[in-house]
Amino acid sequence: MSLNLLVTVRYPKSNELSLVRIKVPVGLGSPRFLRTVTGDHFISLEEVMMNNLDMLFPGMEIVSCEIFRVTRNANTEKDVEEADDLVAMIESELKERKFAPIVRLEIAEGMSLLHRGRLASKLELNEEKDVFEVSGMLAMRDLFELAMLEYPRLHDPPHHPVDHSLLQSNSNIFHIIRNAGSILLQHPYESFSTSVERFLREAADDPKVRGIKMTLYRTSSKGSIIDALVQAAQNGKQVTVVIELKARFDEASNIKLAELFEEVGIHVTYGVVGLKTHCKVILIVRQDYSGLRRYVHIGTGNYHTDTARSYCDIGILTCDESIGQDVTELFNYLTTGFTANRNYLKLFPAPHMLKNALLSRIEREIKKHSTDGGGLIQFKMNALEDGDIIKALYRASVAGVKVDLIIRDTCRLRPGIPLLSENIRVISIVGRFLEHSKIYYFRNGCIEEYFIASADAMKRNLEERVEVLCPVELPELQKELREVFNTYLSDRCLAWDMLPDGNYVQRRPTNSTPLPYGSHQQMIDRAEKRLSESHKLKNKRDHTYD
């Protein structure tokens, strides 16, 4: 992924040309953009190099200078079933990644056909299929350097997550969860620190907590999550962490994390052979007044302090007995690998149950619509790629079921095609936060069903990973999820509608639009309103008591 200059040089009075590759040294503290003396003007490092090549090649003639970028295949996974030592195998993969097969060559506009062909040949690429000419700058993600500059007028107003209205109290968090039954968390609008991290912090210090189990796919290298787990182990609690070593680009940090945990006595496992552990689950076993009780957190996003402030995710804290039993079964599976006789009461884990749960509910919606009408399916996720799910949604549309899909990224389904998908609409929300939550809704006649999940409707998630689909059953929590769907579907600022040909058109506010701002700001306002109403109710109760 490095930037490279392809420089053509020759000696004076010589007709012999030489090609030289020079790496643009971006990264490891070296910025891509350099500030000029005029203050708010920047120039790219490669432009500086291209205009000073005489310093690298003194006395030589610079004939041309072109820029290119190579992409290697990050998927270098070996057969884990054959590995004697999984950690050693992953470390070996990381070393080999630098020399992995090249899968793409990007070239700047204007590179000569001769040089394009020679590069493709040297890199053993198909010039027609693997070489892409880019109009504009390469490696545009480096523009984040400019986006991070301190210019308040060019940034959104600072956002500070609020505490969940039920978690403002200093009471024991387990008592709060027990009294509520279940608590729905909406990040980044509601604080991750005072909810999920607090859940672990209090568990680490609570003398009645007997054990903690959790999955880790990606997490902050430093932060409250790791500190709480270490503290729990040091306090003598039984702590088990299922770490996914094959979380792409986080392999090295996860290996270090596993070593740290093992040093303090945390039991570390690496999940089930052949499957990535992608579910986000915490199980805490506590000695309550009536006996052992299980407290659970299930989320759609990683246990990562930093991304929790910029990713839109949903989580649930619950002491539901059936969900607690299911999560126990899930951890038994993750730590042993055996699947026999695992009966789940409410959860639908992948790869054995989740996909069938979605497909069966789509078919059920079709049948109910054919007899009663009013069929409605709504999915919100990062990507829709699984062929079986897509075909089922097409069948639902043909049957007359309305289908709303909020898909931020890849979507292989095409909406609005006559006689096939005319009852389907697809929108993508792109704003200040990254949409990352996965929510599944089925009208199911009058018995509505809401689910949150760690999995997108992608083949890899549904068939090659350990994921979890969790029902949200309390009416007040379902109401919150209904507000989420309604807010996104009515957005006139951040929403992009997919056309039948796969292109997108951004929605525009109209004169009749009641709220001239996007769904993210509306969600911020709604979280603050919930907190304000909670304060008013508390003050009213206190006043009445006085």
Side-chain angles (χ1 to χ4, degrees), residues 91-377:
E91 290 175 334
S92 174
E93 285 183 3
L94 294 178
K95 294 177 182 178
E96 294 175 6
R97 182 174 286 170
K98 297 179 181 179
F99 309 99
I102 296 172
V103 293
R104 179 180 65 177
L105 169 64
E106 294 173 281
I107 61 174
E109 200 171 28
M111 177 177 285
S112 74
L113 293 178
L114 175 62
H115 291 170
R116 172 183 176 140
R118 288 188 66 178
L119 271 178
S121 176
K122 286 287 186 181
L123 300 175
E124 299 181 348
L125 296 174
N126 184 308
E127 186 177 353
E128 297 299 321
K129 296 180 179 180
D130 302 327
V131 181
F132 299 85
E133 186 173 273
V134 177
S135 177
M137 67 173 286
L138 300 180
M140 292 186 69
R141 68 173 298 160
D142 290 336
L143 290 171
F144 275 115
E145 291 181 18
L146 303 183
M148 297 298 289
L149 294 173
E150 290 295 328
Y151 293 112
R153 72 183 189 279
L154 300 179
H155 288 273
D156 290 308
H159 171 244
H160 303 286
V162 300
D163 293 341
H164 189 283
S165 58
L166 295 178
L167 297 176
Q168 303 169 75
S169 169
N170 291 326
S171 300
N172 185 297
I173 193 171
F174 302 106
H175 297 172
I176 297 173
I177 297 171
R178 193 169 65 221
N179 292 335
S182 295
I183 299 173
L184 192 73
L185 305 172
Q186 298 186 43
H187 310 300
Y189 312 108
E190 292 167 336
S191 172
F192 184 78
S193 174
T194 60
S195 57
V196 178
E197 290 183 351
R198 175 186 173 185
F199 186 54
L200 281 171
R201 286 196 303 267
E202 291 198 23
D205 292 328
D206 190 329
K208 293 185 178 181
V209 168
R210 299 292 179 256
I212 301 172
K213 294 185 179 184
M214 77 175 296
T215 60
L216 279 179
Y217 190 75
R218 304 186 197 277
T219 190
S220 311
S221 57
K222 298 179 180 179
S224 184
I225 297 287
I226 297 173
D227 292 343
L229 293 171
V230 170
Q231 183 65 41
Q234 291 174 341
N235 287 342
K237 305 184 189 306
Q238 296 184 31
V239 183
T240 299
V241 181
V242 182
I243 295 182
E244 180 47 72
L245 290 184
K246 301 183 295 300
R248 189 157 306 162
F249 305 120
D250 275 314
E251 298 96 337
S253 60
N254 283 0
I255 289 173
K256 291 180 181 178
L257 191 57
E259 293 172 348
L260 168 65
F261 285 160
E262 289 179 335
E263 288 174 0
V264 298
I266 294 174
H267 179 53
V268 177
T269 68
Y270 303 122
V272 180
V273 173
L275 300 174
K276 281 189 177 181
T277 304
H278 193 249
C279 54
K280 284 74 178 177
V281 184
I282 301 172
L283 170 65
I284 293 175
V285 180
R286 186 176 188 270
Q287 182 70 50
D288 280 3
Y289 65 94
S290 58
L292 291 176
R293 185 187 294 266
R294 287 170 281 213
Y295 295 85
V296 172
H297 174 268
I298 296 177
T300 67
N302 295 308
Y303 293 116
H304 198 298
T305 303
D306 299 330
T307 58
R309 296 182 63 87
S310 57
Y311 284 25
C312 296
D313 274 303
I314 300 288
I316 190 168
L317 291 168
T318 184
C319 59
D320 181 284
E321 292 184 9
S322 297
I323 291 178
Q325 173 63 34
D326 286 353
V327 170
T328 301
E329 289 294 331
L330 178 69
F331 275 108
N332 289 342
Y333 169 58
L334 288 173
T335 53
T336 68
F338 295 106
T339 61
N341 300 322
R342 300 211 182 280
N343 297 314
Y344 292 92
L345 304 173
K346 289 187 176 181
L347 298 186
F348 297 96
H352 303 294
M353 298 173 66
L354 200 160
K355 184 172 181 177
N356 286 335
L358 294 178
L359 290 173
S360 65
R361 281 162 173 77
I362 294 173
E363 296 303 325
R364 183 189 64 190
E365 202 71 21
I366 293 172
K367 292 179 181 178
K368 284 186 177 289
H369 179 80
S370 65
T371 57
D372 304 325
L376 178 62
I377 297 171

